[in-house]
Amino acid sequence: MAKKLFIETLGCAMNVRDSEHIIAELHAHEGYELTTDAAQADLIVINTCSVREKPVHKLFSELGVFNRLKKADAKIGVCGCTASHLGKEIIKRAPYVNFVLGARNVSKIGTIIHQDKAVEIDIDYDESQFAFKEFRTTTYKAYINISIGCDKQCTFCIVPKTRGDEISIPSELIVAEARKAVENGAKEIFLLGQNVNHYGRRFSGEHEKVNFTELLRRVSAIEGVERIRFTSPHPLHMDDEFIEEFAANPKICKSMHMPLQSGSTEILKAMKRGYTKEWFLNRAAKLRALVPNVSISTDIIVAFPGETEEDFAQTMEVLNAVRFEQVFSFKYSPRPLTEAEHFTNVVDPEIASQRLHQLQTRQDAILDELKWATMDKVVEVYFEELRSDGYVAGRTDNNVSVKVKGSQEYLGTMAKVKITEVSRAVAYGEIVA
Ligand code: 5AD
Ligand code: SF4
């Protein structure tokens, strides 16, 4: 009987791809097959996120649950960003954990599973050219890493300490991976990095000069690639060349993530984001002008240390000016190993909650207005997911999530859909062609 692997993935798309790499390596070299039942597993892996405090607390209660339900001789491994950050502390707090593998050490998975109580969390480790074995959770959309690590020093963010310095993956490897994904049936390529439009500043070996815009051109030149998405770009590096390529290249999906974090230039300075409120508004306006159907999403942190009512009002101003199609908003959460952890001008938690509520209420109202934009329209949808309720789900080029009644046969196909019902998060429709 094949050994069984249960893997739980928390956090961002980067982690989703890291989990695919873990699965691929363990399958190819160790013969593991996936299971969705942790009680049946010979190896349980949690791929963790440490970006905010809550999921870290959850990790230890979850580990306890897995320890109780697992088979007697099954192993437990903790991978990802919390592994990088807490290291051997994890084994101290949960002594039944067999190994800890950091977010930048995924390629060592095949050896660490044989070393009891091993901790591999070297954030200088360079696996930018490691040839991982192939595995994808979905055949229709292929995640491809374009860089590892992050060179920014945002004062709230733990990621540079969990994923290390930024190194770009050679462009030939990315193009080769995209080609292979297309051969295997993918029409959509999803490029991943902590800061994608900073691509090409540093490679681990000799490499011709290729920036993100050029990389987009090269990936879009691949026959069979129909859609390209990417995350996350940084507003600071949204130069004209990049925005113009985004607008003009028909294969690039017209959905842009622009993490604002704060609308106050003062707070942006304290966060070390490198741009002002005006720069952000200017970039968003340029995008809206060049790409009329663009969908812009963002991340916002409220109640960063020192945020006054006036600072928060600036964030609300940007929210109202840009009218984002999607907003991920969070209360500031102090993180270890960050500069802001030591900031003393903290915002009262009560006020933080009020601000988050105010922002989310306003955003919901904006979405209630925006959602009508697709009503009765015919849109093109790429179907990727079968839902248990008799629907198949997909996305339009500009990232509207659309569901239609249907089954398996729609998966991996594009179809024209007439929208018949809209809500904040999803639209419903009928296939017309
Ligand atoms: N507190 C709250 N939110 C955070 N994020 C990152 N670090 C923190 C923190 N310390 C948010 C940012 C980022 C998103 C992935 O998580 O908005 O863009
Ligand atoms: Fe979480 Fe950030 Fe690590 Fe992704 S990179 S898993 S969001 S901490």
Side-chain angles (χ1 to χ4, degrees):
M1 272 258 288
K3 289 174 286 183
K4 295 218 161 77
L5 165 69
F6 173 90
I7 186 161
E8 179 181 355
T9 306
L10 308 164
C12 63
M14 209 85 181
N15 260 20
V16 173
R17 185 63 184 141
D18 289 345
S19 285
E20 289 181 338
H21 283 152
I22 290 171
I23 296 164
E25 289 297 299
L26 291 180
H27 175 71
H29 300 298
E30 304 288 331
Y32 278 91
E33 299 290 344
L34 273 179
T35 174
T36 50
D37 180 5
Q40 299 288 320
D42 301 285
L43 173 60
I44 295 174
V45 168
I46 310 187
N47 198 6
T48 59
C49 171
S50 59
V51 78
R52 282 171 295 276
E53 200 177 4
K54 235 196 220 151
V56 180
H57 282 308
K58 242 181 66 190
L59 170 67
F60 286 97
S61 56
E62 251 199 318
L63 280 172
V65 172
F66 283 136
N67 187 42
R68 279 190 297 280
L69 64 74
K70 79 179 179 71
K71 293 201 298 198
D73 56 350
K75 290 182 180 173
I76 299 182
V78 177
C79 302
C81 287
T82 305
S84 312
H85 152 218
L86 292 179
K88 57 181 189 294
E89 180 70 26
I90 294 176
I91 297 184
K92 250 197 223 148
R93 283 173 68 179
Y96 47 82
V97 167
N98 297 89
F99 65 86
V100 174
L101 183 70
R104 202 185 169 106
N105 297 257
V106 176
S107 59
K108 300 175 188 165
I109 185 74
T111 48
I112 201 167
I113 56 167
H114 300 295
Q115 302 165 350
D116 201 32
K117 309 300 168 207
V119 176
E120 288 277 1
I121 53 168
D122 179 3
I123 65 161
D124 294 320
Y125 191 63
D126 179 4
E127 52 183 17
S128 66
Q129 300 190 57
F130 187 84
F132 284 101
K133 293 288 176 193
E134 267 294 301
F135 175 81
R136 297 193 180 280
T137 24
T138 152
T139 43
Y140 315 113
K141 168 168 74 183
Y143 284 126
I144 297 181
N145 290 346
I146 68 163
S147 60
I148 60 174
C150 180
D151 266 358
K152 293 276 175 255
Q153 289 173 353
C154 303
T155 55
F156 54 80
C157 187
I158 192 174
V159 175
K161 295 291 191 303
T162 64
R163 291 188 175 267
D165 291 345
E166 188 175 312
I167 303 178
S168 299
I169 293 172
S171 59
E172 335 53 276
L173 296 185
I174 297 167
V175 167
E177 206 180 333
R179 280 216 180 90
K180 200 189 282 160
V182 168
E183 277 166 27
N184 292 335
K187 294 193 173 89
E188 183 171 309
I189 300 294
F190 207 129
L191 304 175
L192 295 178
Q194 294 306 325
N195 188 352
V196 285
N197 52 344
H198 198 241
Y199 178 83
R201 304 297 167 99
R202 191 190 310 126
F203 294 93
S204 56
E206 282 287 304
H207 197 286
E208 64 178 316
K209 234 179 143 34
V210 178
N211 66 11
F212 187 56
T213 306
E214 176 57 24
L215 182 70
L216 286 172
R217 290 187 189 119
R218 291 186 187 185
V219 173
S220 66
I222 298 170
E223 204 176 318
V225 169
E226 293 187 29
R227 285 182 165 193
I228 301 172
R229 296 188 195 276
F230 50 82
T231 203
S232 285
H234 194 297
L236 175 65
H237 304 299
M238 292 192 176
D239 53 30
D240 286 348
E241 188 202 19
F242 167 64
I243 293 182
E244 282 156 18
E245 178 67 23
F246 176 86
N249 188 327
K251 289 191 180 178
I252 301 178
C253 288
K254 301 306 178 240
S255 116
M256 184 78 91
H257 190 58
M258 282 184 76
L260 168 67
Q261 312 301 2
S262 169
S264 151
T265 297
E266 276 308 299
I267 296 294
L268 288 169
K269 212 183 271 167
M271 289 174 161
K272 296 206 174 141
R273 290 289 290 170
Y275 54 87
T276 59
K277 175 191 181 193
E278 289 68 32
W279 169 259
F280 188 94
L281 287 173
N282 170 288
R283 296 293 88 186
K286 178 155 181 130
L287 264 176
R288 294 254 191 243
L290 291 187
V291 191
N293 69 335
V294 70
S295 145
I296 307 181
S297 58
T298 198
D299 293 341
I300 296 176
I301 298 176
V302 301
F304 184 78
E307 186 186 80
T308 62
E309 279 304 322
E310 174 50 29
D311 291 317
F312 177 63
Q314 303 280 319
T315 299
M316 293 298 285
E317 230 179 83
V318 177
L319 194 81
N320 286 315
V322 179
R323 293 169 66 82
F324 299 102
E325 277 75 10
Q326 198 174 18
V327 173
F328 303 92
S329 50
F330 317 97
K331 264 188 273 187
Y332 169 69
S333 159
R335 306 303 298 123
L337 314 175
T338 62
E339 221 182 304
E341 181 200 11
H342 308 290
F343 293 179
T344 50
N345 45 355
V346 291
V347 175
D348 180 86
E350 193 63 29
I351 293 178
S353 300
Q354 276 169 22
R355 287 182 188 164
L356 186 66
H357 180 73
Q358 189 184 333
L359 183 130
Q360 290 177 342
T361 308
R362 177 64 195 126
Q363 179 58 22
D364 282 350
I366 292 175
L367 287 181
D368 281 338
E369 293 162 20
L370 292 180
K371 70 183 184 190
W372 297 107
T374 48
M375 189 65 190
D376 294 329
K377 296 247 163 68
V378 174
V379 294
E380 186 156 52
V381 178
Y382 180 50
F383 291 103
E384 303 163 52
E385 225 185 305
L386 196 58
R387 295 287 166 84
S388 50
D389 52 5
Y391 284 89
V392 277
R395 288 181 180 276
T396 63
D397 167 281
N398 63 348
N399 219 22
V400 178
S401 175
V402 177
K403 285 166 85 175
V404 303
K405 279 256 183 248
S407 53
Q408 193 79 27
E409 72 266 19
Y410 291 119
L411 293 179
T413 67
M414 302 255 186
K416 296 232 183 316
V417 174
K418 180 163 181 184
I419 301 299
T420 52
E421 192 185 331
V422 291
S423 73
R424 274 177 209 151
V426 59
Y428 293 83
E430 285 156 13
I431 293 185
V432 291

